[in-house]
Amino acid sequence: MSATMTRSGQTDRESRSSRPPRVAMVGAGQLARMTHQAAIALGVELRVLADSEADPAVTAGAAHLIGSPESLGDLQALAAEADVVTFDHEKIPPEHLSALEADGVLLAPSPAAKLFAQDKHAARRELSARGFPVPPFILAGTRDETERFGDEHGWPLIGKVVRGAYDGRGVFELSDLDAAVRALDEVGPFLLEPRLELRRELAVLVARSVTGEVAAYPAVETVQRDAMCREVLAPADVGHGLAEEARRLALDIATGIAATGIVAIELFETQAGLLVNELALRPHNSGHYTIEGCVTSQFEQHLRAVLGWPLGATDAVAPAVAMVNVVGPDDGSDPAARIEGALSVPGAHVHLYGKQSRPGRKLGHVTVCGDDLESARAAARRAAAALEGSS
Ligand SMILES: Nc1ncnc2c1ncn2[C@@H]1O[C@H](COP(=O)(O)OP(=O)(O)OP(=O)(O)O)[C@@H](O)[C@H]1O
Ligand SMILES: [Mg+2]
């Protein structure tokens, strides 16, 4: 630690004003890469903890430390001389976060808030205890518990690993009790819930600053395929009442759990109303559209929030914005080689993450702003299909 560090882990104001603010980010994937772009504009020094020199934020030029989020020593080295530590993923042992916090490191979000994104069961339990609407659930550990839940809610059910799931990896449909018992053998206790009839899936991004200031973005619709987010439509084509209810719910959750930075709240719209699916306490796929589609991108907003700077306006800059993910094609080919096809689509903003192509892997996204969702979506799909080689 430098001599100017106080016990709180924050450098004092005087030394901070004489040099750029320093933000450390655990993880160096596409979220860190796009945060790096925002950091350049704001004059913030971003330093990331990367698995390798090939990570998306590193190849984009972010200052970095090669190490593992599972190593407390590596996390401490990253935190040294940073004003605040934040995250591009969930895969940090909660006990390491508590150790850093006890050391006086400023973490945004705090370990207690981050747990809402790290442990699906703890999140459901806590949100439910605080009166937020969540799907029925149990932590299934035995055949009997599973059978009782199946009798009550009917098969098929949905099982989810409690920790470490993303992009639908770790979400599995269980057709009957035998399948559930096999899953118990394979993965141990898991979160069990009914397979819900979803009218739509919505997401609301909220920024909450370390000062407590909050700002919510408009509710968006997210479209998943194979449990992975593929498209985002902004604003969600729902009535004003439902959009406002979603926004209110998201603000109440972000404030209630004292989240800091960006928090994404994924919601299910069901016949019975809105249910909270899960939270992410970091920039999120549902907010990539904000780069071109809103006054303040989620990445800039995240930096403002973790540094305690004034938050930016969250308004959309166009009547409709569509974002389509670019996913690795089955033949393993690289979308980057087909970029010209996507760039020839008028209005298409292409983002490639510099990741090696693998089937089913998120490799980039395309955003189109327009006057109506239908045409913006069609154009974004055309550009994404050109990149994926499926047009
Ligand atoms: N109970 C359910 N009923 C119906 N569909 C569900 C249910 N739970 C999850 N899904 C579908 O699977 C998707 C992924 O689930 P979830 O968000 O819990 O997993 P994840 O892998 O953590 O997701 P992410 O892609 O956000 O990282 C949801 O967006 C939804 O489409
Ligand atoms: Mg999800």
Side-chain angles (χ1 to χ4, degrees):
M1 277 195 197
S2 76
T4 53
M5 290 287 235
T6 63
R7 264 307 292 154
S8 79
Q10 259 185 300
T11 46
D12 54 56
R13 259 197 193 283
E14 199 185 327
S15 68
R16 192 164 137 174
S17 64
S18 65
R19 57 153 180 80
R22 294 178 182 149
V23 174
M25 188 171 252
V26 181
Q30 63 260 27
L31 302 176
R33 180 179 173 108
M34 290 183 271
T35 305
H36 175 55
Q37 279 182 298
I40 292 169
L42 296 180
V44 170
E45 281 181 17
L46 183 76
R47 189 159 169 253
V48 300
L49 182 65
D51 291 331
S52 87
E53 301 282 347
D55 284 5
V58 178
T59 56
H64 61 280
L65 180 74
I66 301 292
S68 165
E70 311 243 329
S71 153
L72 181 58
D74 290 348
L75 292 168
Q76 285 165 332
L78 179 78
E81 299 188 33
D83 296 312
V84 58
V85 176
T86 187
F87 310 96
D88 118 320
H89 61 67
E90 267 72 58
K91 295 168 290 196
I92 311 103
E95 57 275 18
H96 287 358
L97 296 182
S98 302
L100 291 172
E101 190 180 48
D103 260 1
V105 173
L106 179 63
L107 298 166
S110 70
K114 185 71 176 165
L115 195 64
F116 279 86
Q118 291 182 303
D119 185 311
K120 283 184 196 276
H121 178 243
R124 279 286 160 81
R125 202 183 48 214
E126 281 300 306
L127 290 170
S128 164
R130 291 163 193 239
F132 294 111
V134 298
F137 70 96
I138 56 164
L139 180 69
T142 66
R143 180 193 172 94
D144 283 359
E145 288 164 344
T146 310
E147 186 168 20
R148 270 200 304 277
F149 194 81
D151 287 346
E152 189 179 346
H153 295 282
W155 300 88
L157 297 169
I158 299 283
K160 299 179 179 181
V161 296
V162 172
R163 291 191 179 183
Y166 70 102
D167 288 350
R169 299 173 171 95
V171 174
F172 38 94
E173 185 168 313
L174 300 163
S175 53
D176 54 23
L177 183 60
D178 284 347
V181 170
R182 279 196 302 277
L184 279 175
D185 282 345
E186 275 168 36
V187 303
F190 54 80
L191 185 73
L192 186 62
E193 57 191 46
R195 192 184 70 182
L196 300 163
E197 281 299 323
L198 307 181
R199 279 190 184 157
R200 262 194 213 92
E201 295 190 57
L202 305 178
V204 179
L205 284 186
V206 175
R208 185 169 176 278
S209 162
V210 293
T211 66
E213 186 187 357
V214 289
Y217 286 82
V220 300
E221 177 172 355
T222 64
V223 180
Q224 340 309 303
R225 204 174 312 138
D226 300 329
M228 186 207 261
C229 175
R230 302 302 290 260
E231 299 182 349
V232 172
L233 306 172
D237 187 16
V238 295
H240 176 72
L242 191 67
E244 196 43 41
E245 189 188 327
R247 210 182 76 99
R248 193 66 261 162
L249 182 55
L251 278 167
D252 287 347
I253 291 172
T255 310
I257 69 169
T260 44
I262 290 280
V263 46
I265 289 111
E266 297 180 7
L267 301 168
F268 290 153
E269 184 195 344
T270 69
Q271 205 173 2
L274 293 176
L275 299 174
V276 181
N277 175 33
E278 63 165 355
L279 312 185
L281 279 92
R282 52 169 171 74
H284 188 251
N285 199 167
S286 66
H288 292 354
Y289 84 94
T290 62
I291 297 176
E292 293 88 8
C294 291
V295 175
T296 312
S297 88
Q298 64 164 346
F299 301 101
E300 171 172 340
Q301 195 78 298
H302 187 68
L303 290 171
R304 291 179 182 229
V306 303
L307 286 165
W309 286 349
L311 298 179
T314 53
D315 311 76
V317 298
V321 189
M323 191 263 359
V324 176
N325 281 334
V326 177
V327 173
D330 287 341
D331 66 4
S333 63
D334 185 357
R338 291 183 285 265
I339 192 166
E340 288 174 49
L343 295 178
S344 69
V345 176
H349 297 280
V350 174
H351 296 255
L352 294 174
Y353 306 149
K355 287 156 72 169
Q356 199 173 359
S357 182
R358 276 207 300 269
R361 193 180 197 202
K362 283 181 190 165
L363 302 174
H365 72 268
V366 179
T367 299
V368 175
C369 301
D371 289 330
D372 64 275
L373 274 176
E374 206 182 326
S375 60
R377 183 186 205 173
R381 279 183 172 174
R382 242 184 0 262
L387 286 159
E388 290 174 1
S390 54
S391 58

